[in-house]
Amino acid sequence: MSRRSKFLAFLLMIAFGVGVNRYIALHKTALTATATTPNHTKAAFALPGTIYLAQDGKIYSLTNGDFSVVPLPDAGAWMQPHVLPDGTLMVIARGPAYSDLYHVRGDGSVIAQLTHNHVSDKVIQENHWVFWPTTNADGGTLYASYDLPKPAYNVSYQEDLSIWAGQPASKLNAVRWSVPDPYTGGDVQPQVLADGSIVYATYAIAPSNHVVSVIAWQKTPTAKIVPLTTQDDDCNSPAVAPDGITIAMVCSADSQATTIKIAHLTAGKLDTPVTAVSACLCNSPAWAPDGSGMLYLAPGDATGKFQMWWLKGAGTATPDAPKLVSDGSVDLDALSPPTWFIAGAKAATSAPS
Amino acid sequence: MRDQAPPPRRRRASAYGRGVDPITPAPRERHRVRTAMLVLLGFLVAGGLGVFSYYATTVVEAFGIFGQTTTPTVATPSGQAVPTSAALAQTAAPAPNQPFTMLLLGSDNDAKTGGGPVLTQSMILARVDPVNKKVTMLSIPRDLYVQLSTGQTDKIDKAYLFGGANAAIATVENNFGVHIDHYAWIGLQGLVNLIDKVGGVDVVASNPVLDDYYPADLSGSNPYAYERVAVLPGAQHMSGSEALQYVRSRHGDLRGDFGRSFRQQQVLLALRAKAKLLGFADVPDIAGAIQSDFKTDVAVTEMGSLLPLAGSIPLANVTQVVLLPPYTTATTIGEQDVLLPNWDLIRHEVSQDFPS
């Protein structure tokens, strides 16, 4: 073997060793792969109008299959957008110890900061949380979950969310709608029906000593709540369809899997729910403005990154199979329901009887 | 029978035109074979070095993490430490495929302790039945007031503080009447890193977990400071720090430590779901992430078989037990809020869920 051949063989051995090392490295699972930001992806298909959703503290719009960042100012991690009939948005900016509600335009410019919950950096317990903004059909009344009232610093540990309402132009915390079960986390995810009544998820400690959720219906701020689901169902995330009586909800029966169920609110109660999607990690259902289907968020594969799915014909006798809208590499904020704007879209609306 | 004579050897012409023995290669041929063997060996060594360089750090870290030795002992009235009866009764490791028990410990290894001894904020006794693919998880409340193996009567979370894993194991063995085959201890930062390294966990958060007095010991410079936590409910993909907030927060929960136990079991099951997706190539990253924040007496070789086992057990076969009243009664002793155990009920439950 010539000296040159030996040298060549030596180089090949080194290359082989490096190759083996890299080969093993290539077989690492893709669990930790960083999520792609939606604006670097394309939707699998186009849906009409504009859909707003959140990922990693930013709000994205989806129009004609293209995602774009909504260039909001640096006020915290943006989440839970809710589109108003005029196309503007209510959106939450979450800081480290507080969250605030903003009214913004689709181009990211701020119309108004509606809450000022950053009260103190020194006594952080004086700050407040606000989540899940929504409005009634004309956008004139704003509803949200708010951690008011709460005890003064060092008095007690109690911290629960209640449903509050107000005019967007004034204080959100004008009218308190709900009184939560203490130390459960409280009442969340309000949705407004055509007659001005609201449904929301309320948490309670079940006889099993687990905290479970019930969909509550409440006609006025002072009215007693009507439970629409049972503690065994453990349902939350209600989404009222444009018809005003169809409600999608996420039920987990106190387990680590969820089911999206759809039922109709008639004669003061829900009829037998139909299962729309079962055995999933689904969250945040949201109806199309014309009621033709429903969006929801759930992982697309074992990495657990949340994707947006479209269920055409949800709630009908013959729904289509769910279709993946996002491209699988994004990781959408599962706690921010998509919100959908189609200019002039209007569905037949009825008030619950 | 007469031995047959071997057939005459045929001779063949060599390159040099001389006849050679075909069984004994010519020197040049021998040289070629030797060269080929050396080249092959070279490639094998190079490949081996490639594998070694990938896993080298893991092997070094594994010596510090895995295979910790334990000898659970209990203090006698004279102050002598003797092995627990459970340890004496069963000193051999369980045979392959036999059910085994494992004590999972989670600690505040935070800045408050300055790196010194720590309490266990979480104790979960698990029994794994590999053949029937069943798991039972019993959350032991940290405030359970028991006779510690180190001699004192105190909250069970102090066993680890006073005597490390040995004392924690011995205390559980003595009080619960169950033998513990293995233990694993993880610190706060280790849990955060572990969850991040597996790409987060998917959890259906049971309720809004709000806590205005959550310790900011990992996120700030003052270990006694607080931070506000709001983990929102529903199915979600949690990062390590979000999952830690979910399992650690207790102030906003009427059930206190019990509520936290439920949530800890949820995240443990979510981690188990991720474990079944991991491959051997992921081991260095994970070992690197948890290094000083994880200890176990499970050997590295056993760990290889435990990971696939964790993933093979269906969720429906996991039984979760939390020692709510009447198993325990809340009271105050001295200035401490403690839980008094009802040992008759607890040991009956344990004898059913953790048969020897």
Side-chain angles (χ1 to χ4, degrees):
Chain A
M1 203 176 185
S2 69
R3 188 171 284 185
R4 195 175 154 192
S5 303
K6 281 179 187 166
F7 183 66
L8 197 66
F10 181 68
L11 283 183
L12 282 171
M13 285 172 201
I14 291 176
F16 179 71
V18 173
V20 166
N21 182 292
R22 291 300 83 203
Y23 177 81
I24 302 170
L26 280 175
H27 282 72
K28 281 201 283 192
T29 51
L31 294 175
T32 52
T34 312
T36 315
T37 50
N39 55 327
H40 290 101
T41 66
K42 264 192 94 70
F45 55 92
L47 289 162
T50 298
I51 296 161
Y52 295 92
L53 29 78
Q55 176 174 314
D56 199 21
K58 289 191 167 62
I59 303 295
Y60 295 88
S61 62
L62 172 62
T63 309
N64 294 324
D66 291 320
F67 290 98
S68 307
V69 187
V70 178
L72 291 158
D74 187 14
W78 295 96
M79 62 187 295
Q80 297 178 341
H82 170 78
V83 73
L84 276 69
D86 63 358
T88 60
L89 297 159
M90 294 292 172
V91 62
I92 299 291
R94 182 174 175 163
Y98 58 91
S99 59
D100 272 314
L101 178 60
Y102 285 75
H103 187 193
V104 304
R105 296 183 187 87
D107 64 6
S109 58
V110 173
I111 299 167
Q113 180 179 346
L114 300 175
T115 61
H116 295 83
N117 292 331
H118 185 194
V119 178
S120 170
D121 280 330
K122 208 168 180 184
V123 186
I124 57 164
Q125 291 79 2
E126 290 178 357
N127 299 316
H128 293 282
W129 299 115
V130 59
F131 294 113
W132 290 289
T134 193
T135 58
N136 62 349
D138 66 10
T141 307
L142 180 61
Y143 301 79
S145 297
Y146 218 128
D147 68 349
L148 283 168
K150 71 176 200 176
Y153 172 57
N154 259 349
V155 170
S156 91
Y157 291 133
Q158 189 175 350
E159 170 89 6
D160 294 299
L161 296 162
S162 304
I163 308 296
W164 287 81
Q167 309 302 310
S170 64
K171 276 171 77 81
L172 164 66
N173 52 342
V175 182
R176 187 185 187 192
W177 273 70
S178 75
V179 180
D181 266 13
Y183 291 98
T184 60
D187 300 336
V188 299
Q189 301 156 341
Q191 291 274 292
V192 192
L193 282 74
D195 64 352
S197 62
I198 62 170
V199 290
Y200 56 90
T202 181
Y203 284 83
I205 297 177
S208 64
N209 212 39
H210 290 204
V211 182
V212 293
S213 53
V214 164
I215 304 291
W217 179 34
Q218 195 174 334
K219 288 191 169 179
T220 65
T222 52
K224 278 184 72 172
I225 67 163
V226 177
L228 298 178
T229 57
T230 67
Q231 289 191 338
D232 288 343
D233 295 330
D234 196 9
C235 297
N236 50 61
S237 293
V240 178
D243 67 8
I245 55 169
T246 304
I247 300 175
M249 56 204 159
V250 178
C251 305
S252 66
D254 191 19
S255 74
Q256 286 294 293
T258 60
T259 298
I260 297 184
K261 294 182 177 179
I262 297 173
H264 302 95
L265 180 56
T266 48
K269 58 182 185 178
L270 286 182
D271 61 6
T272 307
V274 172
T275 297
V277 191
S278 62
C280 57
L281 273 172
C282 303
N283 204 352
S284 298
W287 289 92
D290 61 359
S292 60
M294 185 182 73
L295 293 167
Y296 65 92
L297 304 176
D301 58 28
T303 62
K305 293 185 172 72
F306 273 74
Q307 309 298 320
M308 185 162 70
W309 298 78
W310 165 237
L311 180 58
K312 191 179 176 188
T316 66
T318 53
D320 286 3
K323 277 178 156 177
L324 189 59
V325 182
S326 50
D327 87 337
S329 65
V330 300
D331 187 10
L332 301 171
D333 178 0
L335 304 168
S336 294
T339 182
W340 197 333
F341 178 68
I342 301 177
K346 207 170 170 92
T349 303
S350 6
S353 52
Chain B
M1 201 170 149
R2 184 166 68 87
D3 285 341
Q4 278 188 328
R9 287 179 180 172
R10 284 180 60 196
R11 287 174 181 264
R12 66 180 175 83
S14 77
Y16 299 98
R18 289 184 308 216
V20 291
D21 186 341
I23 293 171
T24 313
R28 190 185 170 94
E29 221 167 312
R30 276 208 305 269
H31 180 70
R32 276 192 191 145
V33 170
R34 200 174 59 196
T35 305
M37 295 287 280
L38 280 173
V39 169
L40 186 66
L41 186 68
F43 274 100
L44 283 174
V45 169
L49 284 172
V51 175
F52 178 76
S53 62
Y54 189 81
Y55 288 109
T57 49
T58 312
V59 172
V60 172
E61 278 153 10
F63 277 111
I65 293 172
F66 297 97
Q68 306 274 328
T69 53
T70 54
T71 313
T73 55
V74 61
T76 61
S78 61
Q80 226 183 347
V82 297
T84 62
S85 52
L88 285 172
Q90 195 175 348
T91 50
N97 287 331
Q98 286 299 302
F100 63 89
T101 50
M102 191 160 192
L103 185 62
L104 306 170
L105 305 165
S107 278
D108 264 351
N109 59 330
D110 56 46
K112 281 200 279 282
T113 66
V118 288
L119 300 166
T120 46
Q121 298 285 331
S122 171
M123 281 181 129
I124 297 176
L125 179 61
R127 180 180 188 270
V128 183
D129 183 342
V131 173
N132 297 311
K133 303 222 176 295
K134 284 185 177 173
V135 169
T136 306
M137 295 194 300
L138 168 75
S139 285
I140 300 171
R142 65 172 200 158
D143 291 342
L144 202 65
Y145 198 67
V146 299
Q147 177 75 40
L148 302 180
S149 67
T150 45
Q152 309 87 331
T153 302
D154 214 322
K155 291 185 186 185
I156 200 164
D157 64 354
K158 288 189 179 161
Y160 192 85
L161 176 77
F162 294 150
N166 279 334
I169 293 170
T171 300
V172 174
E173 284 188 338
N174 274 347
N175 287 287
F176 287 77
V178 63
H179 171 74
I180 295 169
D181 296 306
H182 294 299
Y183 86 94
W185 172 91
I186 193 161
L188 297 180
Q189 194 60 55
L191 182 68
V192 171
N193 293 347
L194 176 63
I195 290 172
D196 284 339
K197 276 296 168 197
V198 299
V201 286
D202 304 319
V203 176
V204 181
S206 56
N207 59 305
V209 174
L210 308 177
D211 191 345
D212 274 6
Y213 299 86
Y214 183 87
D217 44 9
L218 287 186
S219 57
S221 54
N222 177 5
Y224 295 94
Y226 294 123
E227 62 181 300
R228 294 191 82 211
V229 159
V231 180
L232 303 185
Q236 58 194 285
H237 189 64
M238 286 184 181
S239 67
S241 54
E242 288 165 342
L244 181 67
Q245 289 177 348
Y246 184 62
V247 300
R248 197 182 178 200
S249 169
R250 67 192 171 91
H251 295 118
D253 195 323
L254 193 61
R255 302 163 301 162
D257 200 45
F258 291 124
R260 191 159 73 158
S261 295
F262 285 125
R263 286 180 261 125
Q264 286 166 356
Q265 293 188 358
Q266 283 180 347
V267 169
L268 208 55
L269 291 174
L271 255 175
R272 167 203 146 279
K274 276 295 175 76
K276 65 181 171 188
L277 305 171
L278 296 173
F280 213 65
D282 299 301
V283 173
D285 278 356
I286 291 170
I290 57 178
Q291 30 177 334
S292 59
D293 277 312
F294 185 72
K295 286 189 185 108
T296 180
D297 61 350
V298 177
V300 182
T301 45
E302 290 174 282
M303 210 65 189
S305 59
L306 285 182
L307 277 178
L309 175 65
S312 70
I313 294 169
L315 205 56
N317 286 3
V318 179
T319 306
Q320 296 168 256
V321 185
V322 175
L323 296 177
L324 300 164
Y327 292 94
T328 51
T329 310
T331 188
T332 305
I333 294 180
E335 300 227 323
Q336 290 192 109
D337 290 329
V338 301
L339 288 171
L340 294 179
N342 181 332
W343 285 122
D344 288 343
L345 287 179
I346 291 174
R347 286 182 186 136
H348 178 69
E349 179 74 35
V350 168
S351 67
Q352 292 191 325
D353 294 335
F354 295 83
S356 51

